[in-house]
Amino acid sequence: DAKTTQPPSMDCAEGRAANLPCNHSTISGNEYVYWYRQIHSQGPQYIIHGLKNNETNEMASLIITEDRKSSTLILPHATLRDTAVYYCIVRVPWAGANSKLTFGKGITLSVRP
Amino acid sequence: NAGVTQTPKFRVLKTGQSMTLLCAQDMNHEYMYWYRQDPGMGLRLIHYSVGEGTTAKGEVPDGYNVSRLKKQNFLLGLESAAPSQTSVYFCASSYLYSRQGRGTEAFFGQGTRLTVV
């Protein structure tokens, strides 16, 4: 799996959009971008994933650059409950044993009142 | 539908003792994983399994063994616990292949907090 790089932390004001960046410059053509988050010490929670088109669900939007070397997770109206560590992961979802789900250090998002 | 359930939630062991952590999922997922998370760090993959009867090593397998005798269960064993194994352990599961109406995102349990003294 390709590696990702994320800044260690960022903050945003409650009610504003939170834009979390991720670089994956060595991503291969069949690797998807996945985002998970971990609130306090709970188990990680899946947010969204995509291949090359922008994706949106009830939690967030995922914007992937045209060259696929970077992406941005957007939380449109951040709340205090969105304070968490966010992990960006690239993997081939159907690669069987070669598709291990491995986590980096993630980015800590702090939402301030 | 309980999702992923880990047993126990908390445990204190003495150095040298053994124990088994149980992960159970009711989603018919092929893929199951065990991770450990130390304070202030990300999750590190210990072992994983792509199906019943198959297991493989992750990033930090030493000191642990696993078994997947039934599709729904993935056991993590510590044969001789050491203080360095004090950690929070997470189990996860996912489908191996995506199909219409389902994806390959992973679902996580709530963790087992293990302290080895």
Side-chain angles (χ1 to χ4, degrees):
Chain A
D1 291 340
K3 291 187 67 176
T4 63
T5 55
Q6 302 176 257
S9 63
M10 64 174 292
D11 62 27
C12 76
E14 189 176 20
R16 303 296 295 270
N19 299 299
L20 288 73
C22 180
N23 285 320
H24 31 80
S25 58
T26 60
I27 192 170
S28 61
N30 56 357
E31 286 181 314
Y32 283 64
V33 180
Y34 286 76
W35 283 84
Y36 288 80
R37 74 179 182 183
Q38 186 175 27
I39 297 174
H40 193 45
S41 299
Q42 298 177 19
Q45 175 191 25
Y46 164 80
I47 302 173
I48 199 168
H49 74 281
L51 180 62
K52 53 184 178 181
N53 296 324
N54 298 337
E55 302 287 346
T56 296
N57 62 20
E58 64 278 4
M59 291 182 67
S61 295
L62 174 61
I63 308 298
I64 302 173
T65 57
E66 191 170 345
D67 63 7
R68 303 209 323 121
K69 294 185 176 182
S70 65
S71 61
T72 302
L73 179 74
I74 300 173
L75 308 179
H77 305 286
T79 70
L80 298 178
R81 289 175 294 180
D82 292 322
T83 292
V85 179
Y86 288 76
Y87 298 96
C88 171
I89 299 166
V90 295
R91 67 190 288 251
V92 180
W94 60 82
N98 294 322
S99 186
K100 300 185 294 292
L101 183 62
T102 55
F103 289 76
K105 295 183 178 179
I107 177 173
T108 300
L109 172 67
S110 299
V111 180
R112 59 181 188 275
Chain B
N1 189 336
V4 179
T5 303
Q6 292 183 230
T7 309
K9 290 183 171 52
F10 302 92
R11 185 71 185 269
V12 178
L13 281 181
K14 293 183 179 179
T15 298
Q17 284 186 317
S18 64
M19 78 163 294
T20 299
L21 283 67
L22 170 64
C23 177
Q25 53 94 5
D26 60 1
M27 295 171 281
N28 202 33
H29 286 163
E30 299 91 355
Y31 225 139
M32 295 189 76
Y33 319 75
W34 274 110
Y35 296 88
R36 62 176 287 173
Q37 186 171 35
D38 301 319
M41 298 183 66
L43 286 84
R44 291 185 292 170
L45 183 63
I46 305 172
H47 286 280
Y48 63 100
S49 168
V50 298
E52 186 177 323
T54 70
T55 64
K57 295 180 180 179
E59 303 166 276
V60 289
D62 294 342
Y64 305 95
N65 56 74
V66 289
S67 64
R68 184 100 179 267
L69 299 179
K70 293 183 179 180
K71 186 177 185 180
Q72 64 268 35
N73 295 335
F74 195 27
L75 306 178
L76 178 70
L78 287 73
E79 291 184 343
S80 179
S84 61
Q85 295 178 303
T86 294
S87 190
V88 180
Y89 292 84
F90 289 102
C91 174
S93 70
S94 70
Y95 287 116
L96 198 54
Y97 302 102
S98 63
R99 296 196 180 98
Q100 189 172 9
R102 76 178 203 194
T104 57
E105 64 270 24
F107 294 81
F108 284 79
Q110 287 305 300
T112 295
R113 283 157 179 77
L114 175 66
T115 302
V116 183
V117 297

